[in-house]
């Protein structure tokens, strides 16, 4: 029997639904006409059961059903607005008209006792009425209202995925039958390998964070994957205990503020759902509060909105405390209050207040007014006691920062009986402070009520990994001359010893080094160079963190000068701009240069909006304290860090670029956030990202990747992939070569899975590092693997993925600016010679299947000697049997390699890279000898392939000069070809002309098969 969607994931969804309490009814047995959305008989039964007063008022019952159906039909005029209206109705918050003209709320679903509802899951539900009948795979009905639609695809076809299911829902079903989605809570798309959920009108995208996965914060993302994750997600999400709380309290609508926006519906992610329900449960249980420790950038502000909505909408909270609750949301900065208030307001939060000053806040809290109050921690200063109520719930954002000490004491004294919940991405635990003890409930494991780790957030796609690139900004110091000059100064000024010590101490501050004009110029030149090569082509923006305000201004001017010197313009020709955000006091003491950057809150908000727009030339923001934390701009792709920082501040700073982002113009998505470290904070960054341990024995969880470690990973993954295709010439792009490659990775086999998983990882590293010099020796092999992958990848999604990874970057990277780099990457910054070298040695040993005889205590020179001896021993064994040109060539390469001087880390790694290439060639030569053949050409695979093409197409008698012809072709093409030549008419004509010139020089035909094959090979490989 063939695997189909109905026999696999669709059947499983039905089985899991029945186990969760849903009654399965086949779609064609539902008591409905095929054009009906609501199953009216069931809706009527629920309406009468939940509203007994309607038993003797059949006319009012008909009016309710009529108004419901009219709202459903109105979806043709706007699905989101109709969905919002019906959400209010289904919650029981809408007042329906009675036959005598009154307006009375009606209950359509029992949210308190779920047993009072009818839960039905139906498969193959057909809907008629539009141009073509449509059939929904699985529909989840509550009291006759279709609340969830699940579209499934088969898990065994490479060309389909959950994206295809999502496209069907968004592009076809919601367009043709919007009325069927008028009562929808969310949609589900799955092929059994991935599971995603989303609100109506969510655009499908392979990397979408809106089409979100579901799961549990208790699960390990490394072990709960694939079909196991799908089953876990379905069992957790597609059950009444999850769907109905989302419908009742956690569905929100963000309304358009102007004509450029549209209304959208948004839903909680699973960590937000879990935490909001736990907050609600703790309040009802009378617990003191709790600590929410969720990764930076994973949506803590939205979590507060969901929690507040659930508390304010629940009658049980009001009954328990005798009155409706007051929810206080506390931030530690005015700009965060504005951001939070804007989010709550657009989400339609009821009864929201933002006090303008302390007096307003104190009066509001003394009055006991229910609703949401959003304020800064500073407004509690000198508040004293304000209110004894126990139904006050305080939600504290960025709970690790200024929530201790006098400010923390102030707001706890103001509302002493409140419940205090702290949300943070960077919990603090040291000898003076502990976020765990300040907010943690002793009843929670390790004082944490909800933990969502960086690993979970990255695996779910809600945040991106952070790549740290080390930079070396060195300088020479003539200490003797400096001491002599200082002594002369002390003598001239009559300084005593104590004064000399004081003065030298002040001058030895790090600012002295950082403010050196030459250093400022070199760092800013490197910043601009890096930005233009890696960041600007992606449409992303940059943040620069400088040591102090004086250096903020110096960096701003230097970057502006570099941008102007390089004519760094936007696609529309406008010069890129640099903005400044810093605290500037409006006083007489403020330097004139600083006053230029004095911004009102409105001006700062306008600058922030400019920075977030992909088509705005505001490309850099330079800061020293503001916007280092609490600033959310997904378009930020890189943070250039030239200021010492540590612990929570450092973590907050380096996670600025970790937000997912999609370029609205190119469709390209962010794969990584980048931090370029000019200050040498690698170890501090690792410590900051790991954070304090909730348990003493908990392992550090790092999510910072060093660029040089990625280079080592690239070599390792490449070697693994090449093992799958041992014996195949990777310089051969013929159909025969491709066919042979396919035989090694048969569809459905473990080798196919291994190849896909490893290649995707390899491709990600390539795209991040390119144009790293380490990639050059492996370019041909990588492109060959890329073509193999392209030939087997899922076709429907390939264009999206291909463009997301290669589109704008491949076409727009400005390689020519590399010559202007003033500050070099420093591989030794975060990875030692031994660590990087031994990693490559291990790969060489794996390639040669040799034991690794070196020890961690081995000196560098010993390691290199081991490498050479291992390869040379292998060669000697073969040379004893044959003096073939392949082995002789390898021996010569060993001698050249031995003559290389090993002076620093970069040279050492280059040495080992070359050794790995030689080791791979040794393995190829061994294999050829064992099969009874010999390899004539190993030194240059391009020329070897050209030799074969020329040899097969030259007249007898010319074979002796075939290598010369191939060498000549190679040298000419290398000279005249350039990046992108094949896409240029002029470049293509020049290569063709020079190619014909070489053939003519050797008396060979300039037309026909020889020319065609040679040209095609050149086009593929140069």
């Amino acid at each position: 029997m063939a695997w189909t969607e109905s026999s696999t994931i669709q059947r499983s969804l039905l089985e899991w639904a029945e186990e969760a309490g849903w009654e399965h009814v086949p779609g064609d047995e539902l008591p409905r006409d095929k054009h009906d959305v609501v199953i009216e008989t069931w809706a009527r039964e629920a309406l009468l059961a939940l509203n007994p007063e309607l038993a003797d008022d059949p006319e009012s019952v008909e009016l309710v059903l009529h108004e419901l159906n009219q709202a459903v039909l109105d979806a043709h005029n706007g699905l989101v607005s109709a969905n919002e209206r019906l959400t209010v109705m289904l919650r029981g918050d809408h007042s329906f008209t009675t036959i005598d003209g009154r307006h009375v709320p009606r209950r359509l679903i029992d949210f308190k006792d779920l047993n009072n509802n009818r839960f039905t899951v139906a498969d193959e539900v057909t809907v008629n009425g539009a141009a073509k009948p449509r059939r929904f795979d699985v529909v989840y009905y509550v009291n006759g209202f279709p609340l969830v639609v699940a579209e499934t695809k088969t898990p065994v076809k490479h060309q389909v995925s959950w994206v295809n299911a999502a496209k069907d829902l968004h592009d076809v079903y919601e367009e043709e039958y919007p009325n069927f989605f008028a009562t929808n809570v969310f949609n589900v798309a799955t092929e059994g390998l991935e599971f995603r959920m989303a609100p109506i009108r969510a655009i499908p995208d392979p990397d979408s964070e809106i089409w979100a996965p579901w799961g549990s914060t208790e699960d390990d993302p490394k072990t709960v994957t694939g079909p196991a994750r799908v089953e876990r997600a379905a069992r957790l999400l597609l059950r009444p205990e999850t769907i109905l709380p989302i419908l009742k309290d956690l569905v929100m609508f963000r309304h358009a503020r102007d004509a450029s926006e549209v209304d959208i519906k948004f839903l909680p992610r699973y960590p937000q759902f879990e935490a909001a329900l736990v907050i609600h449960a703790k309040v009802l249980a009378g617990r003191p509060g709790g600590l929410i420790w969720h990764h930076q950038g994973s949506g803590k502000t939205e979590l507060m909105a969901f929690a507040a909505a659930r508390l304010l909408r629940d009658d049980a909270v009001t009954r328990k405390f005798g009155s409706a609750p007051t929810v206080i949301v506390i931030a530690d900065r005015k700009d965060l209050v504005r951001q939070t208030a804007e989010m709550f307001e657009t989400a339609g939060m009821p009864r929201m207040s933002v006090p303008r000053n302390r007096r307003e806040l104190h009066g509001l809290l003394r009055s006991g007014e229910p609703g949401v109050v959003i304020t800064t921690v500073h407004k509690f200063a000198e508040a004293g006691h304000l209110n004894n109520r126990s139904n006050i719930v305080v939600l504290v954002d960025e709970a690790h920062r200024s929530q201790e000490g006098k400010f923390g004491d102030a707001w706890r004294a103001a509302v002493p009986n409140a419940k205090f919940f702290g949300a943070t991405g960077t919990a603090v635990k040291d000898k003076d402070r502990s976020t765990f003890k300040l907010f943690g409930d002793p009843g929670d494991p390790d004082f944490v009520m909800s933990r969502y780790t960086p690993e979970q957030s990255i695996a779910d796609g809600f945040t991106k990994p952070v790549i740290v690139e080390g930079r070396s900004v060195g300088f020479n110091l003539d200490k003797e001359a400096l001491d002599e000059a200082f002594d002369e100064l002390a003598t001239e000024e009559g300084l005593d010893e104590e004064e000399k010590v004081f003065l030298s101490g002040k001058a030895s501050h790090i600012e002295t080094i950082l403010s050196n004009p030459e250093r400022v110029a070199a760092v800013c030149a490197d910043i601009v160079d890096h930005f233009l090569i890696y960041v600007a082509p992606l449409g992303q923006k940059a943040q620069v963190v400088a040591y102090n305000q004086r250096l903020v201004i110096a960096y701003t001017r230097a970057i502006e000068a570099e941008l102007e010197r390089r004519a760094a313009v936007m696609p529309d020709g406008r010069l890129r701009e640099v903005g400044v955000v810093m605290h500037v006091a409006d006083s007489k003491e403020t330097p004139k240069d600083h006053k230029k950057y004095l911004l009102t809150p409105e001006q700062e908000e306008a600058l922030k909006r400019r920075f977030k727009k992909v088509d705005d030339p505001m490309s850099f923001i330079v800061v020293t304290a503001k916007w280092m934390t609490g600033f959310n701009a997904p378009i930020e792709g890189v943070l250039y860090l030239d200021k010492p920082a540590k612990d929570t501040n450092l973590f907050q700073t380096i996670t600025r670029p970790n937000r997912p982002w999609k370029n609205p113009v190119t469709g390209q998505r962010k794969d990584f956030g980048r931090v370029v470290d000019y200050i040498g904070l690698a170890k501090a960054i690792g410590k900051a990202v790991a954070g304090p341990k909730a348990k003493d024995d908990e392992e550090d969880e790092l999510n910072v990747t060093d660029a040089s470690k990625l280079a080592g990973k690239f070599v390792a993954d490449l070697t693994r992939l090449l093992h799958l295709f041992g014996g195949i010439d990777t310089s051969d792009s013929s159909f025969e070569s491709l066919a042979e490659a396919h035989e090694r990775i048969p569809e459905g086999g473990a080798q196919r899975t291994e190849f896909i998983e490893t290649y995707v990882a390899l491709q990600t590293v390539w795209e991040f590092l390119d144009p790293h010099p380490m990639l050059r020796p492996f370019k041909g092999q990588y492109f060959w693997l890329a073509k193999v992958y392209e030939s087997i990848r899922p076709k429907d999604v390939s264009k999206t993925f291909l463009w997301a990874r290669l589109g704008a970057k491949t076409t727009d990277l400005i390689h020519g600016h590399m010559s202007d780099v003033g500050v070099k990457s420093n591989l030794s910054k975060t990875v030692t010679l031994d660590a990087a070298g031994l990693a490559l040695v291990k790969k060489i040993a794996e390639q040669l299947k040799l034991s690794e005889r070196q020890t961690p205590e081995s000196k560098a020179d010993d390691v290199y000697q081991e490498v050479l001896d291992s390869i040379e021993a292998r060669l000697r064994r073969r040379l004893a049997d044959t003096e073939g040109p392949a082995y002789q060539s390898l021996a010569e390469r060993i001698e050249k390699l031995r003559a290389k001087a090993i002076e620093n880390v970069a040279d050492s790694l280059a040495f080992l890279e070359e050794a790995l290439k030689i080791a791979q060639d040794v393995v190829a030569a061994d294999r050829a000898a064992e099969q009874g053949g010999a390899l004539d050409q190993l030194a240059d695979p391009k020329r070897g392939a050209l030799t074969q093409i020329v040899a097969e197409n030259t007249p007898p008698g010319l074979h002796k000069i075939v290598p010369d012809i191939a060498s000549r072709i190679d040298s000419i093409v290398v000279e005249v070809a350039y990046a992108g030549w094949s896409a240029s008419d002029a470049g293509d004509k020049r290569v063709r002309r020079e190619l014909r010139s070489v053939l003519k020089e050797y008396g060979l035909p300039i037309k026909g098969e020889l020319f065609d094959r040679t040209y095609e090979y050149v086009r593929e490989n140069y």
Side-chain angles (χ1 to χ4, degrees), residues 385 625 975:
H385 179 269
E975 180 181 337

Side-chain angles (χ1 to χ4, degrees), residues 63-173:
L63 287 177
V64 171
L65 294 174
H66 175 75
E67 193 168 345
L68 282 167
N69 285 321
Q70 284 299 115
V72 168
L73 292 173
D74 199 42
H76 288 281
N77 299 319
L79 176 53
V80 175
S81 59
N83 186 255
E84 181 175 9
R85 184 181 176 193
L86 277 155
T87 297
V88 174
M89 291 179 176
L90 292 172
R91 284 172 172 168
D93 295 337
H94 177 75
S95 294
F96 290 88
T97 305
T98 64
I99 194 66
D100 56 4
R102 292 178 297 118
H103 292 83
V104 181
R106 302 299 185 190
R107 296 168 65 206
L108 302 172
I109 296 173
D110 194 334
F111 293 100
K112 297 174 184 176
D113 187 350
L114 301 190
N115 293 322
N116 290 334
N117 300 297
R118 179 194 291 268
F119 298 105
T120 307
V121 61
D123 56 325
E124 308 295 332
V125 177
T126 301
V127 181
N128 289 345
K132 183 178 181 180
R134 295 296 180 186
R135 187 172 58 192
F136 303 131
D137 291 334
V138 184
V139 181
Y140 297 77
Y141 290 91
V142 177
N143 296 343
F145 299 99
L147 300 188
V148 177
V149 177
E151 181 69 9
T152 63
K153 297 295 179 185
T154 175
V156 295
K157 288 185 179 180
H158 280 289
Q159 66 268 26
V160 298
S161 72
W162 71 266
V163 181
N164 301 85
K167 283 180 177 291
D168 286 349
L169 287 164
H170 179 272
D171 298 347
V172 181
Y173 302 151

Side-chain angles (χ1 to χ4, degrees), residues 507-813:
S508 300
H509 195 273
I510 188 173
E511 182 184 359
T512 305
I513 297 172
L514 298 182
S515 60
N516 181 297
E518 292 184 9
R519 186 185 185 280
V520 170
V523 167
C524 290
D526 185 66
I527 286 173
V528 173
D529 195 65
H530 181 277
F531 177 82
L532 294 177
I533 292 173
Y534 293 102
V535 185
L538 306 177
Q540 297 171 6
K541 304 291 184 74
Q543 186 173 359
V544 182
V545 181
Y547 181 74
N548 57 22
Q549 292 189 352
R550 190 161 65 89
L551 282 170
V552 165
I553 295 172
Y555 279 41
T556 300
R557 291 173 177 171
I559 293 171
E560 286 174 339
E562 280 292 319
L563 291 171
E564 187 173 356
R565 183 178 71 82
R566 299 170 189 236
V569 297
M570 297 288 290
D572 62 5
R574 289 179 293 170
L575 185 68
R576 293 184 179 273
E577 298 178 23
V578 185
V580 171
V581 178
M582 62 184 185
H583 294 281
V584 180
D586 190 7
S587 67
K588 293 183 293 184
E589 290 75 24
T590 303
K592 185 177 180 181
D593 281 353
H594 289 202
K595 284 194 174 183
K596 175 183 175 182
Y597 302 105
L598 176 62
L599 299 177
T600 65
E602 293 74 22
Q603 288 172 328
E604 187 175 327
E605 282 299 308
L607 183 62
K608 189 178 296 182
R609 287 194 294 271
R610 288 191 62 193
F611 185 73
K612 291 181 178 181
K613 291 180 179 179
V614 70
D615 58 350
D616 194 292
M618 183 56 61
S619 302
F620 290 84
I621 293 292
V622 187
V623 307
T624 185
K626 295 186 77 172
W627 290 18
M628 277 178 62
T629 59
F631 172 56
N632 183 20
I635 197 173
E636 182 177 320
V638 62
L639 182 135
Y640 298 103
L641 183 62
D642 202 20
K643 175 183 180 178
K646 62 180 181 179
D647 300 333
T648 56
N649 280 341
L650 178 59
F651 179 79
Q652 289 267 320
T653 299
I654 66 170
T655 53
R656 291 309 96 201
N658 80 341
R659 275 59 165 175
W661 180 74
K662 179 180 178 180
N663 188 318
V665 178
T666 66
Q668 186 165 355
R669 286 190 172 271
K670 185 195 295 183
D671 287 326
F672 296 95
R674 299 172 185 266
V675 173
V676 182
D677 169 26
Y678 295 93
I679 207 72
L681 293 175
K683 290 184 179 178
I685 287 172
K687 182 180 177 183
V689 174
K693 298 177 182 178
K695 300 178 182 178
D696 291 337
D697 59 347
E698 184 179 299
E699 293 184 2
D700 289 348
E701 297 176 327
L702 298 182
N703 285 280
V704 177
T705 305
D706 177 70
S708 26
K709 288 183 179 178
L710 280 180
K713 173 178 170 53
F714 177 87
V715 174
D717 287 346
L718 181 72
T719 304
R720 281 180 58 197
L721 284 182
L722 292 175
H723 274 306
L724 291 172
F725 305 102
I728 300 178
D729 182 5
T730 58
S731 66
D732 180 6
S733 61
S734 67
F735 177 81
E736 289 75 16
S737 171
L738 181 64
E740 189 175 355
H742 274 238
E743 291 176 5
R744 303 288 182 88
I745 48 172
E747 186 171 355
Q751 297 91 340
R752 172 71 65 96
T753 301
E754 179 186 359
F755 173 74
I756 291 174
E757 292 176 351
T758 307
Y759 177 80
V760 169
L762 189 76
Q763 183 186 53
T764 301
V765 175
W766 173 279
E767 285 309 301
F768 174 76
L769 289 176
D770 185 34
H772 195 291
M774 185 176 180
L775 301 179
R776 291 174 192 154
F778 308 103
K779 186 174 182 180
Q781 292 170 318
Y782 170 77
F783 283 168
W784 184 84
L785 291 169
K787 289 166 188 167
V788 174
Y789 177 71
E790 189 61 29
S791 71
I792 66 164
R793 71 185 304 162
K795 298 301 184 291
D796 249 48
V797 192
S798 65
K799 289 182 181 178
T800 309
F801 276 134
L802 185 63
W803 182 247
R805 292 192 180 278
L806 303 176
K809 184 172 186 292
T810 310
T811 57
D812 293 335
L813 283 177

